[in-house]
Every structure is written in C-alpha cells, then in structure tokens.
Amino acid sequence: MINKQPSCQDIFETGLMSVDEAKARIAALITPLSVAETCPVGQSRDRVLAADITAPFNVPPHDNSAVDGFAILSRDIPQQGRKKLAISDTLHAGDNRPCQLLPGHCIRIMTGAKIPSGADTVVMQEHVEQGDDYILIDGQHKTGDNIRRAGEDLRSGEIILPRGKCLTPPDIGLLASIGNGEISVKRKLRVAIASTGNEVFDIGQKPPENGIFDSNRYSLAAALDSPAIEIINLGIIKDDPEILQRQFQQASEYADVIISSGGVSVGEADHTKTALQACGQINFWKLAIKPGRPLAFGRLNQCLFFGLPGNPVAVMVTFYLFVKPALEQKLGIVLPRLAPTLQVKTLENIRKKPGRTEIVRGILQQMENGEWQVKTTGKQGSGILRSMSLANCFIVLEHERGMIKSGEKVTAQPFFGLFSS
Ligand code: AMP
Ligand code: MG
C-alpha cells in the first residue's frame, strides 16, 4: 500500500489554517500607506483622503428661503381670519442688495434667496391668496417656517470628512460646496499582477496544443481597476524558480503588493513558494477553504505578497475574500465597503464536508411570495469560471457545516457592490 503524502487536494488534511485566522494574520502584517499627493476634486472619486477636511465657513452662508413664497414677520400671522399684507419687494436667489421688511408688509422671495432683515418666516406661495400688490394669509403658519438656517448643512470649523474616507459622489459634492479645488489624498497603491505557467498564453498569442489563454491577469486587472490603484502588469512568467524570484524581487522594489496566480501547489512545476521563500518570507500557504486551499501569503521586504492558486474561480474567490480587504486596509480606508450577507433558504441540496469553509457560486432570486432564495450555478469545479460569471452571489458554507438539505438556511453574500472599486 502507498503511504499517502498530505496533498492540496486532500480534504482531511490536518493543520490547514481557518479563513478567520488567515484574515487576522494578513491584517496584522499591514501598515497603511502614509504618503499623500494632491488631487483635483473633480478627479477624486474613490481616492482616499489623507487628512481631515474642515468646513472653512458655514454652508449655507446665510439664512435663506426653502421655497418660492413670501417672507413675513411672524407677528403678522393672524390669530383668526385672514390678514392682508402689502408686497413691498421681490428677492431672487443671488440678490445681494440690502432689503428690510416692515410690519404689515411681505416680500416676494424665491428658493435660495437670502432672508431679508426683519423677516423670520416664509409662507409658501401655494398657501396664500395673491392680489396684484398684496397677499392674504391665514393663521396656519409657524414662526421660522420654510427657512434654511445658515450652517445647517456644514458648520464652520467642524470636520466634515475624516482622513481615510474613500470619496463617494456626495463627498465630492461636499468638497465642491466649500470651494475646494484640490485635496490631499493617499498616493495610489501600487499593485503588481503576474500569471505563472508554461501552458499560459496571452490574448493575441497562438497557444500550442495544450496551451490555454491567461484569464487570471484579466479578471484580476478588472477587479483592481480603481482610481486609488496603479496596476503594474508583470505579464506571464514561466515556471522557472530563478525567473520568478528575479521578477518578484524586481517588482517588490516599486510595488506595495504583488499578486500572482498559479504555481502555489505541490506539483513539480509549482515554484511560487520557493521563489517567495528565497527572497522574502512566507506567512502561510494552506487554508481550510474550497476553492483556494493553496494560497501563499507573505512579504518581500515591505511589499505584501499574495500567491493565489491558478484555477480561475479560486483566483476570484480568494481575491474578494482576502486580497480586497487587505488592499483597503493598506490604503487606510476607515470605513471599508460593507459586504452584507443574507440568511436565505437554498432551493437544492448542497454537498459540503465539515472542516473547511466552502464558497459556492449562487443565484439569489426573489420568489413569487416575495421571499429571497438561492440556488447554485451548477458545476462548481474551481476551473469552471462560468460558475462565477453566472452567479450573483457567493453562498458561504461555514467551516463546521456538513451536508445541506434543500430548504435549509444558508449565508448568501450578494455581489451587489462587490465588483465596484
Ligand atoms: P497551478 O496552480 O499553476 O497548478 O494551476 C492550476 C490550474 O489553473 C491549471 O489547470 C492551470 O492551467 C490553470 N491556470 C493557471 N494559471 C492560469 C491563468 N492565468 N489563466 C487560466 N488558467 C490558469
Ligand atoms: Mg502552474
């Protein structure tokens, strides 16, 4: 009988690291970027703020009208019946001339116009009866109605955006509202990507028989596409330990993070770990997860290294599970994008072995009764990239779980938001 060696395909191999421990180990090794650069506000979407932003003045700068209507004195609101007020002036948004409201009068005012001195209330034009040069108002108004107060959006001196905020469209509007043309952001994170394998060829090349096209560098580049990231494309590297080592070493002099795919298993042509060991340190390389069991994590000097498996689905799963959160931490993002999960019924049995986390690709759908349920995308081999392309969620089957029966609840993590930078 052959005495079996532990293998990457071996389901019951002991000593595999749990997903949580691997995440903790990665997090412990990261020091966030500290270098900043200036960036025009109009180009700052998804960049990460390097310093707190403080409001230099009140927004809005003055009390102004929230509606088209009439500015009045609350003393003129009648206790009963109706009261006639003479229209003494008209104010548009942007008017700057001094304007005084006198008792018994009103001033026609447009949305955004500065409240004239003396006025303390605005009555909507739909709520008055209007004559040529007067209005009639009733008693259904309260002091302060329809006035937007100075500083009610941003108060002078307060921190309106914290350092580490990944800028969203409303954040950019906020920066523009205080007249900011340029801001200080974290410099771009430099991420090098490489594919490995003698059988792997790039688009445009003619692969020989048994050759395959490189999909990993393309899915990774697309997943990394963000204004906060500079991608350094190292191309396809042959299964040669010396070439791998040289390329990784060179890349680590510029890049903050290297992501390779392939060559992390225990085959004769799997040299990624050896190369990493020769010029850096391996932190771990075997995880209790499917797909994605061989994942080499470590560093070369200050550069983080993720040696992802070669199988295209494993690349995607491990990228979203381990690499993306690490990149966000490295960028110093204070509120990482949430990846919400749902507990939903599965429409089919799912095979599962306890002792490892399994990430199945699923389709989350709303049933006629309004309930959300999930089914798998079919064959789940880690080389079947279509299973990921067809999916709209991950079904996360936790470490201790065994076989799952149709109708049981499972954890679904929708892709919604996951693919945005
Ligand atoms: P490896 O981990 O290098 O043994 O690769 C595992 C499987 O993934 C093999 O079948 C490879 O041919 C395949 N593979 C590796 N790299 C790529 C790539 N860049 N694109 C598509 N498939 C790949
Ligand atoms: Mg390979």
Side-chain angles (χ1 to χ4, degrees), residues 210-340:
N210 291 329
I212 56 166
F213 282 118
D214 176 7
S215 61
N216 291 342
R217 238 171 354 114
Y218 285 86
S219 52
L220 279 175
L224 288 164
D225 185 26
S226 158
I229 290 176
E230 175 189 341
I231 297 174
I232 302 120
N233 200 326
L234 304 178
I236 300 163
I237 309 176
K238 291 280 178 213
D239 288 318
D240 176 321
E242 278 168 26
I243 302 178
L244 284 163
Q245 189 184 328
R246 204 165 51 239
Q247 292 268 3
F248 292 159
Q249 181 92 55
Q250 243 172 35
S252 74
E253 284 162 21
Y254 180 74
D256 303 301
V257 183
I258 298 173
I259 308 171
S260 73
S261 68
V264 279
S265 203
V266 288
E268 269 178 27
D270 291 331
H271 302 300
T272 304
K273 290 198 309 288
T274 326
L276 174 59
Q277 217 148 21
C279 52
Q281 293 121 35
I282 296 181
N283 193 294
F284 63 78
W285 75 277
K286 277 187 197 171
L287 299 181
I289 185 176
K290 184 190 171 189
R293 172 186 299 221
L295 187 163
F297 171 69
R299 66 177 177 193
L300 282 86
N301 303 317
Q302 290 314 303
C303 180
L304 296 175
F305 186 95
F306 290 91
L308 306 185
N311 279 312
V313 181
V315 166
M316 290 280 82
V317 167
T318 50
F319 176 83
Y320 287 111
L321 209 60
F322 300 105
V323 186
K324 195 173 181 198
L327 300 181
E328 291 184 344
Q329 188 185 344
K330 186 80 196 163
L331 273 164
I333 294 176
V334 283
L335 290 171
R337 278 162 228 264
L338 289 173

Side-chain angles (χ1 to χ4, degrees), residues 97-297:
R97 61 196 159 77
C99 188
Q100 176 77 38
L101 176 68
L102 298 173
H105 290 70
C106 68
I107 290 174
R108 176 134 176 72
I109 191 165
M110 308 304 159
T111 306
K114 187 175 160 187
I115 302 295
S117 44
D120 61 5
T121 304
V122 172
V123 179
M124 282 175 82
Q125 64 185 24
E126 293 87 344
H127 294 167
V128 306
E129 206 173 295
Q130 203 174 336
D132 282 348
D133 56 359
Y134 67 90
I135 59 168
L136 291 171
I137 63 166
D138 61 18
Q140 297 183 52
H141 310 288
K142 287 196 311 294
T143 309
D145 273 0
N146 300 312
I147 293 183
R148 299 194 287 220
R149 296 293 171 195
E152 75 174 18
D153 187 358
L154 310 177
R155 188 151 289 283
S156 178
E158 80 174 328
I159 293 175
I160 58 167
L161 291 168
R163 171 180 170 198
K165 181 91 196 319
C166 182
L167 295 171
T168 61
D171 295 338
I172 290 165
L174 215 56
L175 289 164
S177 77
I178 55 167
N180 236 348
E182 282 192 330
I183 47 168
S184 176
V185 295
K186 297 282 178 86
R187 78 146 161 78
K188 292 189 185 210
L189 192 66
R190 301 163 183 162
V191 183
I193 52 173
S195 290
T196 69
N198 292 347
E199 80 283 28
V200 181
F201 290 83
D202 201 358
I203 296 172
Q205 292 182 302
K206 269 211 161 68
E209 215 184 329
N210 291 329
I212 56 166
F213 282 118
D214 176 7
S215 61
N216 291 342
R217 238 171 354 114
Y218 285 86
S219 52
L220 279 175
L224 288 164
D225 185 26
S226 158
I229 290 176
E230 175 189 341
I231 297 174
I232 302 120
N233 200 326
L234 304 178
I236 300 163
I237 309 176
K238 291 280 178 213
D239 288 318
D240 176 321
E242 278 168 26
I243 302 178
L244 284 163
Q245 189 184 328
R246 204 165 51 239
Q247 292 268 3
F248 292 159
Q249 181 92 55
Q250 243 172 35
S252 74
E253 284 162 21
Y254 180 74
D256 303 301
V257 183
I258 298 173
I259 308 171
S260 73
S261 68
V264 279
S265 203
V266 288
E268 269 178 27
D270 291 331
H271 302 300
T272 304
K273 290 198 309 288
T274 326
L276 174 59
Q277 217 148 21
C279 52
Q281 293 121 35
I282 296 181
N283 193 294
F284 63 78
W285 75 277
K286 277 187 197 171
L287 299 181
I289 185 176
K290 184 190 171 189
R293 172 186 299 221
L295 187 163
F297 171 69

Side-chain angles (χ1 to χ4, degrees), residues 334-390:
V334 283
L335 290 171
R337 278 162 228 264
L338 289 173
T341 55
L342 304 169
Q343 294 298 314
V344 290
K345 276 187 197 159
T346 166
L347 286 159
E348 59 192 287
N349 298 335
I350 309 175
R351 291 171 63 85
K352 164 75 170 69
K353 296 241 159 64
R356 66 182 180 194
T357 304
E358 293 193 22
I359 311 284
V360 175
R361 280 74 66 202
I363 298 171
L364 192 60
Q365 57 194 28
Q366 197 170 23
M367 312 310 281
E368 269 179 11
N369 64 4
E371 194 185 352
W372 287 87
Q373 298 201 2
V374 77
K375 62 180 185 183
T376 74
T377 51
K379 281 199 187 132
Q380 296 288 312
S382 63
I384 304 174
L385 190 52
R386 188 115 195 279
S387 68
M388 178 90 191
S389 158
L390 287 170

